[in-house]
Amino acid sequence: MVTLYSSSGQAVAYVDDDGQSIYLYNGRPVGWLSEESVFAYSGRYLGWVDNGWFYDRNGRPAFFTENSTGGPARPARAARPARGARGARPARGAREARPAKPARSLSWSELSGNAFFEQ
């Protein structure tokens, strides 16, 4: 399990042990990883992963993990909440084409939290 921490250091979501499925801590499935890309279950492209950082569509870091390297200064990590019962994963929609990656920024994304998965 890999925890995704927001710009404020809060544990927001985690990547399940399957290495693909992403859940919020309340148990709601919100996305999946395919290679280095992050998708919502609707198929919408949300961003990408590089060096333990989850970047939004605009190249701004939205989440960091315990093993993130580089990127902006990371805040202190808050304690992880208890995980809720995992909900059933919905069917995956057709994947949106991945756009060209913008340059990586050192400014945090405004979508560092649940909003990242709702874009």
Side-chain angles (χ1 to χ4, degrees):
M1 181 184 81
V2 175
T3 301
L4 307 183
Y5 295 94
S6 70
S7 61
S8 64
Q10 299 299 313
V12 173
Y14 62 93
V15 179
D16 196 26
D17 291 334
D18 68 5
Q20 295 179 352
S21 305
I22 303 171
Y23 292 89
L24 296 178
Y25 270 90
N26 66 9
R28 184 169 64 112
V30 290
W32 87 90
L33 298 173
S34 178
E35 298 174 13
E36 62 184 31
S37 298
V38 183
F39 293 93
Y41 278 100
S42 65
R44 179 161 170 81
Y45 174 78
L46 302 177
W48 76 92
V49 180
D50 186 44
N51 292 325
W53 289 93
F54 281 61
Y55 292 91
D56 68 14
R57 296 171 63 102
N58 298 312
R60 288 184 237 136
F63 301 105
F64 67 95
T65 64
E66 292 178 19
N67 299 319
S68 297
T69 59
R74 294 181 288 175
R77 293 186 315 238
R80 291 183 296 209
R83 289 190 290 172
R86 286 185 290 184
R89 293 186 304 241
R92 294 178 179 179
R95 291 190 316 197
E96 180 178 61
R98 187 178 79 190
K101 285 184 188 175
R104 285 182 282 186
S105 172
L106 290 177
S107 299
W108 281 97
S109 173
E110 295 174 3
L111 301 174
S112 185
N114 291 3
F116 178 85
F117 300 104
E118 297 166 0
Q119 59 177 318

